[in-house]
Amino acid sequence: MESKIKLYNTLSHKVETFSPFNPAEVKIYTCGPTVYSQPHIGNFAAYIYWDLLVRTLRANGYGVKRVLNLTDVGHLTSDGDDGEDKLEKGARESHKTVWEVAEYYINAFQKDFRALNLVEPDVTARATDYIKEDMEIVDLLTQKGYTYETSDGIYFDVSKFPKYADFARLDLEGQEWGASGRIELNGEKRNSADFAVWKFIQPGENHAMRWDYFGRPGYPGWHLECSSIIHSILGETIDIHTGGIDHIPVHHTNEIAQAEAAFEKKLAKYWLHCNHLTSNGQKISKSLKNGYTLANLEELKFSPLDFKMWVLQGHYQSERDFTLENLSAAQTRRLKWRNMIARCYQGQETDADFSEILVAVSDNLNSPQAFADIDAVSVANLDFWRQVDELFGLGLLDDAPRLSTEQNEIIERRRLAREQKDYILSDRLRDQLLEQGITILDTSDGQIWQYTA
Ligand code: AMP
Ligand code: ZN
């Protein structure tokens, strides 16, 4: 089938026509959250964009097999190989075990994931369930001569993998590299960009998650889990690998190096990266604690789907600054769409062409254009809105219930009251509906109802 989908591929730095290995099963891997604290709206922006990717593929007739990982070990407080394991730190600060911390935040993540109406991944894989597979990769890399041992772990020697700098167009020699703070110069490393595939736990070090390997306790390097999960579940060379732009210079660069060195196959055909959400111009991050959670937004009377609407109003490759004013505008827009559905219920359906919407999102997930096209339809029809819901997962129809028999009766009684010029009764009936979230408008064509903000 001739693909209608175009995607920006970080690998080629170009928008390419999407062509999967097997259209019936497009293999996608998404780097998941590190489960040591409450996920914020920045994290979910990423999963909302990848939800759009999955839905766009499906709407174009592809089958999808998607894997998401949950990082419950090995992600250190620095992106290099120094610092504390984020899970261990979370456990220490909350006086819980690491396993309890992981369990708690996995549940929190999944609850919000569902509230955002995100398509469930086919497999959700926990890093700690793939330790044996991690070791197999380290063994392979060691046999092939890519690794060396230092006092704090087994390192990947990037000089043995000549393509190492290509993916992120890194300047390994340049100033920029040293100044980025990414790689701490560890005296035992052969090259500053070398990264740990396995870390040793030092005597006296408090690290509850531990596995014996190389004759001593240790744990996997952060990047390794993605390579072993991909290889175990999806096999060699997947179609699409997704993540945030923060993953390009370190995490994905390292994933490619270790997986392609071990298996001698390209890791992924397409690499998609979303940009960041910022707050006051600064990247929202768990460590800065500068991001709202979905629960915070709900306290302010915004539904998770209002937030999803705001995210999809922007393009996944653009940096977006989050403000409550902008969220409020998205909420209003979503209400406007729900009220177009209300018009459909009131017999005002019009023709509308959905194919234009699908064309827009298929062009490198251009949801802002698709949304502008949706705004331009006058009322459309229920079939059109069903397709909009399928493609964006905005829960429009679920949040646009038909009126109950009682509510319809109130409207009819109000019509009669107005006919009889009983305005006291008519106002009382209108207020009664308003309490139930329904606004009545009097137009030259009679009463119409809509959902209230
Ligand atoms: P983490 O839990 O920090 O490993 O992040 C999980 C996912 O959220 C990754 O794909 C990150 O790229 C993404 N992410 C983290 N912060 C932001 C942000 N401010 N905006 C968009 N995506 C983010
Ligand atoms: Zn990853």
Side-chain angles (χ1 to χ4, degrees), residues 33-34 40 42-43 47 75 244 246-247 275-277 283-284 286:
T34 308
H40 54 65
N43 301 124
Y47 303 115
H75 194 175
D246 52 316
H247 290 150
N275 210 318
H276 289 143
L277 287 201
K283 183 192 165 195
I284 295 177
K286 286 179 184 163

Side-chain angles (χ1 to χ4, degrees), residues 29-32 69 222-223 225-226 241 247 251-252 255:
Y29 181 80
T30 298
C31 291
N69 72 307
W222 170 38
H223 320 293
E225 62 180 270
C226 292
H241 194 309
H247 290 150
H251 182 55
H252 288 168
E255 262 191 54

Side-chain angles (χ1 to χ4, degrees), residues 341 344-345 349 380-387 397 402:
I341 296 172
C344 294
Y345 295 150
E349 287 188 303
N381 50 69
L382 290 176
D383 191 46
F384 175 90
W385 291 111
R386 237 172 255 123
Q387 293 182 80
L397 281 155
R402 288 179 187 270

Side-chain angles (χ1 to χ4, degrees), residues 334-350:
R334 187 165 171 273
L335 177 66
K336 188 179 144 214
W337 291 5
R338 287 164 53 214
N339 277 325
M340 292 204 209
I341 296 172
R343 293 296 177 95
C344 294
Y345 295 150
Q346 292 168 83
Q348 296 176 22
E349 287 188 303
T350 59

